Amino acid sequence: MPASLPNQNPPSTYPIDIRPETHTSPANQPPQKLYAEVVVNIPLQKVFHYRVPPHLQENLEAGMRVRIPFGNKITTGFCVGFTDTPCTDKTKDLISIIDKEPLIDDIMLKITRWLSSHYCCGWGEAISAVVPPVVRSRIKEKWNTFVRGNPHALAINQETLVQMKTRAPKQAKALEILLEHPDEISAKEVIRISGCKMPGLRQLEKKGFLTLENKLQDAANTPRNTDQLQQHLTLTQEQQKAFDTICKRLEGPKPGVLLLHGITGSGKTEIYLQSITKVLEQGRKAIYLVPEISLTPQTIQRIKARFHKVAVLHSSLLGTVHQSQWNDIKDGRVDIVIGARSSIFAPLKNVGLIIIDEEHENTYKQENNPRYNARDIAILRATRENAMVIMGTATPSLESYDQARKGNYEKIVLSRRIGERQLPPVDIVDMGEEVRKRRGFNIISQRLQYYMNQSLARKEQVILFLNRRGFAPYINCKRCGFVLKCQRCDIPMTFHKKLNTILCHYCHAETRPPESCPDCLASNINYRGFGTEKIEDEIRNKFPNYQIIRMDSDTMRVRDSHEKALTAFEQGEFQILLGTQMIAKGLDFPNVTLVGVISADTILNLPDFRAGERTFQLISQVAGRTGRGTKGGRVVVQSYNPRHYSITYAAAHDYEGFAGKELEYRKQLHYPPFGNLARIILRSPHEDKTKEKSALVAGKLKEIARTPGNHLEILGPSPAPVTRINNLFRWHILLKAQNNSSIHNALQGIADMLKPSKGVQTMVDVDPYMML
């Protein structure tokens, strides 16, 4: 659930006050630095006490890293406070102080403590999420190695690659990367994608396949834009009204949270930029969060064209650059930070505004420890810094919509596109009827093909969307029905034609396509379904005179490849853009007059209570990529379930209708926003142990749920929808309650059962977004 409002104290539903536990003397004086409270990066919510030697007391401050004896080893911890009364008589001494000044301030210490308790992770884990690894490791190297494929490597044939895959699969994958990206790329990038380390790359260099070159990495400070800045655009009447409301709140004592619900193309970004100007005039600073940094080059360019002292912060930056950017932010040389979810922890002082663009996106939720939601952390940080939060989207999450409906967030609606352009008409194609009429299955419907011909003939551009990569999502035998599944995971493997390989999209296992059925040995192997790679082949066959570019995680693996592809499309080098959800948001191409949704059913059929909401959001967002210019636009949505309300409401551009319908179902089942959830996943190589442990945990939870006054519902245990990943069997338990306190009390009651063990791994996900 969303965090507390900036104009309120943290609500009682939260399990703890977020002030750090620091002990004070009876006279209410701060404790002397006799004993330090230290946390370690482990999954335990425990603070350890260490005696501070006299020669370290003057220099040690909360937020610094320290070297400590921990068990039978020496490790690094974070000092989070001080006390005069240790929890044990047998305290050990700190060994040394690592940092000259604190890496995080008091506000971030409070936030990380709340994060630790709310998301059930160690306080040390939470702090480690705030301070990037490159900062903790203090990277000093200034040289990077780059790789360029030689002509011999580029001319390599498939047979040679197949042979290399058998004896040196990682080297083969490195060559595949060079085949796809003939330009010079970082060796770190090749290693990250292929797993082929430097010794392997050097062997390939000796064989003449590639060239390695060391280049000096510029680790200079964040560059200041010295070009003449662009002027702000003139706001429409609707935009001006929204901006006036924002300015009024910024000038008030409690700015609060504002939900900017604007249809696609209504000018939300311009309001963000002018709001940043207002904050800078007040002498404060801004954080601008985007769902995925690599997918928003247009937004970044617009911000840098308007402002000086802008830093882009994300985990894909090269080490020295990342460290330099972080230090510049911390030292006050930056006014605006742009980045993905982890940028909410940027060490920016005096924050006055936090913008969350496309606030509905599930990428704001972290899927490994600590499993935080950046939207909630943003609101919590704004509370502590008395800043304003603007959450903008064309399709608000139902949680945010409900908060606005209750009056907890102020809501502003932008209902008109810039220039009074109309939202594109949406045609829904019943693919079941299409099969009957054409007496067979066709990936591209007649209607979509007709409109593509029309747009391309007028020298306009087309975007095609399918949220499934690869060539064929599963392989089966026509004779016995055998389906080829990953040996380590309980899912079908996907055929990738260009690489001539079969991949598991969960554990990344790879194998060659079978020539016969592994079960009955028949040769009737059938490649079923379709992904973006197969669509690309189909489009090339149907439209041979036009250039197509594909954007998915297979083709966009190298750093900056997203920006290069989008720039090439914007400049007209390609007429057709095909991709997964990475093309569904943040793009503004006036020459795009047609968007085709190849299959609206890929998410709709998932076993997830948010499937309908995500389907509506994806269709609405991808439909918004067209009709932004004077030429207008059209959307064609193909579906085997054309009458599902999420599709029909999206086609009608009716968010209110969809929200009303979906909220009815959520209320009946007590799903968010009408309840809170937590999910416990248990994993082990042994299915019987996983099942046994999950039964014990669920049994204890049900015992707690029967306590009088405890409004808690326990679902499970049961096998997870994906029952095995990477040779680990998975069972899960779902907790449902009216408030967070009931869930956290229950989790506290089974804390001993959730501790790390060698037998069965236990993972807790509070406010889960992924239910697979």
Side-chain angles (χ1 to χ4, degrees):
M1 294 291 287
S4 59
L5 296 173
N7 59 356
Q8 297 175 345
N9 292 322
S12 59
T13 53
Y14 285 136
I16 58 168
D17 183 355
I18 65 173
R19 292 170 296 183
E21 286 183 356
T22 53
H23 304 284
T24 57
S25 63
N28 247 0
Q29 295 296 319
Q32 300 180 39
K33 297 180 181 179
L34 299 177
Y35 298 94
E37 296 176 319
V38 178
V39 296
V40 183
N41 186 10
I42 56 175
L44 289 178
Q45 293 180 346
K46 188 172 183 179
V47 177
F48 300 92
H49 289 169
Y50 287 85
R51 193 180 79 87
V52 184
H55 68 283
L56 297 179
Q57 289 179 7
E58 183 178 350
N59 296 325
L60 183 59
E61 296 181 47
M64 289 181 172
R65 290 176 300 161
V66 291
R67 298 286 287 173
I68 55 172
F70 194 74
N72 59 358
K73 62 181 181 180
I74 295 174
T75 191
T76 301
F78 277 93
C79 175
V80 296
F82 300 94
T83 181
D84 293 335
T85 54
C87 59
T88 176
D89 294 333
K90 298 179 180 180
T91 56
K92 298 179 181 180
D93 283 4
L94 289 178
I95 297 173
S96 63
I97 303 171
I98 297 176
D99 305 303
K100 294 181 179 179
E101 59 183 20
L103 293 181
I104 57 175
D105 59 17
D106 184 59
I107 289 176
M108 199 54 68
L109 277 174
K110 295 173 183 178
I111 289 174
T112 53
R113 184 165 183 266
W114 177 88
L115 191 155
S116 165
S117 180
H118 184 71
Y119 292 106
C120 298
C121 66
W123 194 354
E125 289 182 303
I127 295 176
S128 296
V130 169
V131 183
V134 293
V135 176
R136 299 198 304 270
S137 61
R138 295 294 184 190
I139 292 177
K140 295 181 180 179
E141 67 268 20
K142 301 291 179 69
W143 292 85
N144 280 331
T145 304
F146 290 84
V147 185
R148 182 183 294 275
N150 290 338
H152 179 58
L154 299 178
I156 190 171
N157 57 45
Q158 285 292 329
E159 184 178 348
T160 306
L161 262 181
V162 170
Q163 293 173 357
M164 288 192 68
K165 282 182 179 181
T166 303
R167 65 177 189 273
K170 293 180 180 179
Q171 290 186 11
K173 183 164 285 189
L175 290 181
E176 288 174 352
I177 295 169
L178 296 180
L179 283 167
E180 295 174 6
H181 304 277
D183 295 335
E184 180 184 78
I185 59 176
S186 165
K188 289 183 179 179
E189 197 77 2
V190 176
I191 292 169
R192 180 183 66 83
I193 299 171
S194 67
C196 181
K197 307 295 184 184
M198 282 304 299
L201 294 179
R202 290 192 181 99
Q203 287 182 13
L204 291 174
E205 184 182 33
K206 289 179 181 178
K207 296 175 182 177
F209 287 111
L210 54 86
T211 300
L212 296 172
E213 183 180 0
N214 291 324
K215 291 187 177 182
L216 185 65
Q217 170 60 49
D218 181 12
N221 293 335
T222 302
R224 173 173 175 153
N225 181 12
T226 57
D227 296 336
Q228 184 174 357
L229 298 180
Q230 293 180 3
Q231 298 298 310
H232 290 313
L233 303 179
T234 302
L235 299 177
T236 65
Q237 184 177 355
E238 198 174 39
Q239 284 177 309
Q240 188 65 52
K241 184 178 178 181
F243 180 61
D244 290 343
T245 301
I246 291 170
C247 290
K248 184 177 179 181
R249 293 190 70 103
L250 284 171
E251 292 167 355
K254 300 289 183 181
V257 180
L258 186 142
L259 177 62
L260 185 60
H261 182 187
I263 63 172
T264 56
S266 59
K268 297 185 290 295
T269 303
E270 186 62 32
I271 293 177
Y272 299 155
L273 299 181
Q274 298 200 25
S275 299
I276 291 173
T277 297
K278 179 69 176 178
V279 168
L280 296 181
E281 289 172 354
Q282 295 176 341
R284 307 191 73 185
K285 302 186 178 185
I287 296 175
Y288 193 127
L289 296 182
V290 293
E292 295 177 69
I293 196 69
S294 60
L295 309 183
T296 52
Q298 291 179 322
T299 300
I300 294 172
Q301 289 167 6
R302 289 182 66 179
I303 295 173
K304 288 187 172 182
R306 302 281 185 96
F307 302 101
H308 297 302
K309 299 182 181 179
V310 177
V312 180
L313 196 64
H314 56 94
S315 58
S316 296
L317 289 173
L318 292 174
T320 49
V321 177
H322 196 163
Q323 185 186 59
S324 176
Q325 294 270 53
W326 197 88
N327 288 334
D328 285 349
I329 295 167
K330 188 175 186 297
D331 294 340
R333 291 191 288 268
V334 169
D335 289 335
I336 304 165
V337 174
I338 317 169
R341 60 175 176 262
S342 61
S343 299
I344 192 55
F345 301 122
L348 197 65
K349 302 290 194 300
N350 196 20
V351 174
L353 175 64
I354 302 175
I355 295 167
I356 309 175
D357 193 21
E358 309 292 0
E359 68 85 24
H360 65 278
E361 284 289 338
N362 63 347
T363 50
Y364 286 122
K365 170 73 172 178
Q366 174 101 339
E367 290 303 327
N368 53 350
N369 257 357
R371 293 174 173 81
Y372 65 88
N373 190 317
R375 182 182 61 196
D376 297 350
I377 302 298
I379 296 174
L380 192 60
R381 180 170 183 174
T383 303
R384 292 293 157 180
E385 303 210 35
N386 197 31
M388 183 178 190
V389 177
I390 300 177
M391 302 193 300
T393 177
T395 54
S397 65
L398 290 177
E399 289 88 345
S400 296
Y401 175 80
D402 187 63
Q403 290 284 350
R405 192 171 62 168
K406 291 174 179 176
N408 294 330
Y409 300 168
E410 180 165 357
K411 181 181 177 182
I412 297 178
V413 177
L414 300 178
S415 59
R416 297 184 182 88
R417 280 187 157 186
I418 299 298
E420 296 298 327
R421 298 187 180 98
Q422 298 300 307
L423 287 168
V426 179
D427 292 12
I428 303 176
V429 177
D430 184 343
M431 292 303 286
E433 185 67 24
E434 182 86 5
V435 169
R436 287 188 289 273
K437 283 183 177 179
R438 300 175 71 177
R439 297 184 180 180
F441 172 74
N442 290 272
I443 297 175
I444 306 297
S445 65
Q446 288 179 320
R447 197 179 315 180
L448 178 56
Q449 186 171 343
Y450 170 78
Y451 285 124
M452 287 182 68
N453 279 317
Q454 295 285 312
S455 293
L456 295 171
R458 294 191 298 263
K459 297 184 178 180
E460 297 163 354
Q461 291 174 300
V462 176
I463 290 179
L464 299 177
F465 169 78
L466 176 66
N467 203 29
R468 184 192 296 130
R469 64 189 177 100
F471 188 86
Y474 69 100
I475 303 168
N476 77 332
C477 174
K478 293 181 180 179
R479 179 178 175 184
C480 69
F482 172 82
V483 175
L484 183 65
K485 291 188 175 183
C486 175
Q487 294 182 357
R488 298 186 292 188
C489 305
D490 186 38
I491 63 163
M493 299 188 77
T494 301
F495 175 56
H496 290 251
K497 183 179 178 181
K498 185 175 182 179
L499 302 177
N500 192 35
T501 191
I502 298 174
L503 295 175
C504 172
H505 288 176
Y506 279 80
C507 74
H508 309 296
E510 183 177 342
T511 186
R512 293 183 62 185
E515 296 179 358
S516 60
C517 174
D519 212 24
C520 71
L521 303 181
S523 58
N524 296 333
I525 297 296
N526 194 18
Y527 294 85
R528 302 294 299 273
F530 52 89
T532 49
E533 192 179 13
K534 189 170 184 177
I535 301 297
E536 182 182 18
D537 276 7
E538 182 87 359
I539 296 301
R540 290 190 190 281
N541 290 332
K542 290 182 179 292
F543 301 93
N545 298 324
Y546 300 98
Q547 298 298 311
I548 179 172
I549 185 170
R550 173 162 59 96
M551 289 186 65
D552 55 28
S553 56
D554 293 329
T555 60
M556 300 288 112
R557 294 186 292 181
V558 173
R559 186 179 280 107
D560 298 330
S561 54
H562 300 85
E563 185 172 356
K564 290 178 181 178
L566 294 175
T567 300
F569 184 69
E570 183 177 26
Q571 294 175 350
E573 295 177 27
F574 298 91
Q575 292 76 49
I576 303 170
L577 172 62
L578 165 67
T580 54
Q581 62 183 7
M582 63 176 62
I583 67 167
K585 50 186 174 286
L587 305 181
D588 188 350
F589 299 122
N591 198 40
V592 172
T593 59
L594 176 66
V595 167
V597 179
I598 304 299
S599 175
D601 308 323
T602 52
I603 295 177
L604 191 60
N605 295 325
L606 292 176
D608 188 335
F609 73 92
R610 286 192 175 92
E613 181 181 11
R614 288 178 179 158
T615 298
F616 176 87
Q617 290 168 344
L618 265 177
I619 294 175
S620 300
Q621 290 289 337
V622 76
R625 299 315 104 205
T626 187
R628 289 174 172 257
T630 57
K631 300 176 182 178
R634 180 178 294 275
V635 182
V636 177
V637 178
Q638 301 182 164
S639 173
Y640 283 94
N641 198 357
R643 285 170 287 280
H644 193 279
Y645 65 92
S646 65
I647 296 175
T648 56
Y649 279 121
H653 306 292
D654 185 0
Y655 176 85
E656 295 288 339
F658 167 77
K661 186 83 169 178
E662 182 71 11
L663 286 172
E664 285 180 18
Y665 295 136
R666 299 277 185 96
K667 189 173 184 178
Q668 292 173 11
L669 298 172
H670 305 293
Y671 279 120
F674 302 103
N676 295 75
L677 296 180
R679 185 179 182 223
I680 301 174
I681 299 177
L682 300 100
R683 303 177 296 190
S684 169
H686 309 286
E687 186 174 15
D688 54 342
K689 289 184 179 180
T690 310
K691 183 178 179 181
E692 181 182 353
K693 178 71 177 287
S694 61
L696 290 173
V697 173
K700 180 64 175 177
L701 285 170
K702 290 175 180 177
E703 182 182 321
I704 295 172
R706 288 192 290 268
T707 305
N710 201 338
H711 304 291
L712 184 68
E713 183 181 359
I714 308 299
L715 303 179
S718 63
V722 181
T723 58
R724 186 165 57 104
I725 295 178
N726 209 5
N727 283 330
L728 294 176
F729 292 93
R730 307 167 74 245
W731 281 61
H732 67 160
I733 304 164
L734 196 65
L735 289 73
K736 295 170 66 176
Q738 290 299 310
N739 53 59
N740 269 321
S741 59
S742 295
I743 286 179
H744 282 84
N745 289 338
L747 293 173
Q748 193 65 34
I750 60 167
D752 289 340
M753 305 178 78
L754 299 178
K755 288 181 179 179
S757 68
K758 295 182 180 179
V760 180
Q761 302 173 14
T762 305
M763 182 193 84
V764 178
D765 190 1
V766 177
D767 304 329
Y769 263 58
M770 299 298 292
M771 305 299 290
L772 298 180

